[in-house]
């Protein structure tokens, strides 16, 4: 019974490890995607401010 229990625990540990790896990969992907989205949003905002010649984001500078 002890060997069977050890195998079950090892299997559970391996499954959890795979989930953690997948979660870490997913978080890394989402962090990268968020950074790219923020960069694009900032560039878009700057161009819109230049086009409208208006301060949209409230930083006191238009464009």
């Amino acid at each position: 019974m002890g060997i069977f229990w050890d195998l079950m625990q090892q299997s559970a540990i391996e499954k959890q490890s795979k989930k953690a790896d997948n979660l870490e990969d997913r978080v890394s992907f989402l962090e990268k995607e968020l950074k790219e989205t923020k960069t694009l949003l900032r560039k878009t905002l700057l161009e819109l401010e230049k086009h409208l010649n208006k301060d949209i984001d409230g930083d006191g500078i238009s464009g």
Side-chain angles (χ1 to χ4, degrees):
M1 188 72 174
I3 293 173
F4 181 69
W5 182 252
D6 288 345
L7 288 173
M8 285 181 54
Q9 285 182 323
Q10 185 60 35
S11 177
I13 290 169
E14 288 174 6
K15 285 180 185 177
Q16 189 61 36
S17 178
K18 286 180 185 176
K19 285 182 183 178
D21 290 343
N22 290 339
L23 182 59
E24 288 175 10
D25 291 343
R26 182 70 177 146
V27 168
S28 178
F29 171 78
L30 290 173
E31 286 174 338
K32 181 181 179 223
E33 191 174 71
L34 176 61
K35 182 178 179 183
E36 291 171 357
T37 301
K38 288 172 93 175
T39 299
L40 178 61
L41 180 59
R42 184 70 187 149
K43 287 179 181 178
T44 304
L45 178 63
L46 290 174
E47 289 301 317
L48 183 59
E49 284 187 345
K50 286 179 188 176
H51 178 72
L52 297 176
N53 196 25
K54 185 176 182 180
D55 178 23
I56 296 173
D57 62 359
D59 66 356
I61 303 168
S62 60

